[in-house]
Structures are given as structure tokens and as C-alpha cells.
Amino acid sequence: MKDGVIAVVAGKEITNAEFEVFLQNLPQEQKAYMQYPGFKEQMMEQYLALHTFAQEALERGLDRTEEFQRVLENTKRDLLAQFAVREVMSNVMVSEEEAKEYYEANPRKFQMEEKVSAKHILVDSEEKCAQIREAIEKGEKTFEDAAREFSTCPSGQKGGDLGEFGHGQMVKEFDEASFAAKVGEIVGPVKTQFGYHLIKVEKKTAAAVQTYDEVKDTIFRSIYQKKQNDAYEAKVKELKEKYVEM
């Protein structure tokens, strides 16, 4: 057999190059198994089966049926449309100058608000809250252990950890107490509609504007997508005027 030819089906040579293209066109979830032993051999069997079934269909004249011709025509239409759209999109480009102009014209989009990372303990009474705080301050318990033992919030199982949040993400009283507290400081009891809280701020992130370099890739994607949409819609309008009668 010639170099690069992996099989001959009904007189037609099937090349390794063709098989590699077949592999590259597999769904992404199947490609994940590409490195597994025996995967390529299994795909080779499928690829040859594809050719043999196609040959069987030709010999039986299935390519001359009305159904086949209808599907073929629809597939041809879809492929032609895809090629035409790809050609339209190939002309879409974004320059560095455009990206920088967008960054400078939209400063609010790149404003990072002030945030805090905090833990809390939630209980149903002010007295109980004060007792827990006293035990923590005396060193009898850590804040995290007290949260696991006493807090009625699900975060108690994580030592009270609420993660990072910005202004307005928590109820008003909790929000104000958290942002007013110093890092490492325990504040409370703080009363909210949910009960009484002890709050420990772990970290504060000041408000800041992201630099151009930090957001450049996001800007490029945003402008590129908009340009693609604009180009597509403009082309659709042009083609409707040219070909469609209603």
C-alpha cells in the first residue's frame, strides 16, 4: 500500500491525512480522549465504517432518493451560508488605537468598587452575641470555632466566612458596620432583620480603576463582538434588499 494510505475502500484510497482531518473535526468532548490508549484505533474503525456505509448507500442508489436530494440541498445551503458569513467576519479587525479610545471613553466600566472580605456569627439574641464576643476576646474560642458552634447562618460551617462583597450586597446595617470596621477588628452585636451579628473583617480592597493592560483583552473581545454583530446585521440588510421579495 502507498505511503500515507491507510486503507482502500471500493477502490478509493483513504489517506492518513484525511483521517487526521476527521479527528480534528470530532466534537470537543470526544477530543478529550485523544491521548487514551486505543482511542485512535477505535476512531479509525468508525472512519472506515463511515466510508463502507457510504459505499453501500451509493450501490443501493440512496443518493438518488428524494429525501437524500432534499437533505443534500439543505446541507449545501447551510455550508454556503457559513462560508459567506466567514468571509464577512474575516474583514473584522480591532486596532490598539480603538481599544485605547474605548478605555478612555468609558472610565466607569473599569472602576473597581471598594470591597471587604468578612466573617460573621449570627445568633438570635443580643445577649448571646455579646457573650460570644467576650469569649473570643478572652481567647477562650477563636472567631471561626465560635461561628461553627453558635452561628445559625450556613456560613458557620465555614468558620463564618462570607467571602468578598461590595457595597449594597448585604443588608444596610451589616453593610455599614463591615465597611466601617478595621481589618482584624470584631464588631457587634449588629442588629439586622436576621438577628444579631458579630463581624470580623479579614481584608479590605480600596476602590480603584483597572489599568488598560489589565482590561485590554476584555476590551478587544467586546469591540470585536460588536463589530461582528454590526457587520452581520449590515450584510443581512444588504442581502435582504438584494434578494428578498415580500
Side-chain angles (χ1 to χ4, degrees), residues 14-228:
I14 309 300
T15 67
N16 190 61
E18 291 171 330
F19 176 59
E20 288 298 325
V21 171
F22 169 76
L23 290 177
Q24 290 307 311
N25 288 327
L26 287 173
Q28 203 61 42
E29 58 268 20
Q30 281 188 277
K31 284 185 182 179
Y33 296 98
M34 198 78 80
Q35 303 305 318
Y36 280 57
F39 178 78
K40 277 197 172 185
E41 289 76 6
Q42 183 183 353
M43 289 300 100
M44 174 71 76
E45 288 300 316
Q46 286 192 23
Y47 188 59
L48 292 176
L50 187 67
H51 279 275
T52 56
F53 273 110
Q55 183 61 35
E56 163 90 351
L58 283 172
E59 290 179 3
R60 293 175 54 195
L62 296 182
D63 58 323
R64 297 190 295 276
T65 64
E66 185 178 325
E67 181 184 9
F68 179 84
Q69 292 300 321
R70 183 173 64 253
V71 172
L72 182 63
E73 190 62 31
N74 289 341
T75 302
K76 180 181 177 181
R77 176 204 62 205
D78 293 349
L79 283 173
L80 285 170
Q82 287 174 28
F83 273 73
V85 169
R86 188 174 69 182
E87 191 174 87
V88 171
M89 297 307 172
S90 68
N91 297 319
V92 175
M93 291 182 292
V94 180
S95 68
E96 187 84 21
E97 184 180 355
E98 286 177 293
K100 286 182 177 178
E101 285 178 1
Y102 183 90
Y103 175 77
E104 291 167 4
N106 298 277
R108 288 188 179 181
K109 289 189 176 182
F110 311 110
Q111 177 75 41
M112 294 178 66
E113 66 171 339
E114 179 186 15
K115 291 185 177 181
V116 299
S117 296
K119 296 176 180 177
H120 85 134
I121 298 170
L122 174 64
V123 292
D124 58 5
S125 76
E126 185 174 7
E127 182 182 1
K128 188 173 184 180
C129 198
Q131 288 173 351
I132 295 169
R133 176 171 180 169
E134 185 178 353
I136 294 170
E137 289 176 340
K138 285 181 176 179
E140 296 172 6
K141 293 180 184 292
T142 66
F143 189 96
E144 293 73 19
D145 285 343
R148 292 186 187 95
E149 185 175 348
F150 300 112
S151 184
T152 58
C153 177
S155 66
Q157 300 307 308
K158 299 184 294 181
D161 191 5
L162 294 170
E164 188 177 59
F165 54 90
H167 282 290
Q169 289 182 256
M170 301 294 179
V171 292
K172 183 175 180 292
E173 300 86 354
F174 194 99
D175 182 292
E176 291 175 351
S178 298
F179 281 93
K182 296 176 182 178
V183 174
E185 179 184 8
I186 296 173
V187 296
V190 175
K191 184 181 180 182
T192 73
Q193 65 197 71
F194 302 106
Y196 294 85
H197 307 256
L198 288 181
I199 304 169
K200 180 184 177 185
V201 173
E202 298 287 304
K203 177 185 173 184
K204 284 192 170 185
T205 304
V209 177
Q210 293 173 287
T211 66
Y212 172 72
D213 285 338
E214 287 174 326
V215 296
K216 179 169 67 174
D217 291 344
T218 301
I219 292 174
F220 266 85
R221 283 194 299 272
S222 177
I223 298 175
Y224 185 72
Q225 287 171 2
K226 185 179 186 308
K227 280 192 164 189
Q228 279 190 321

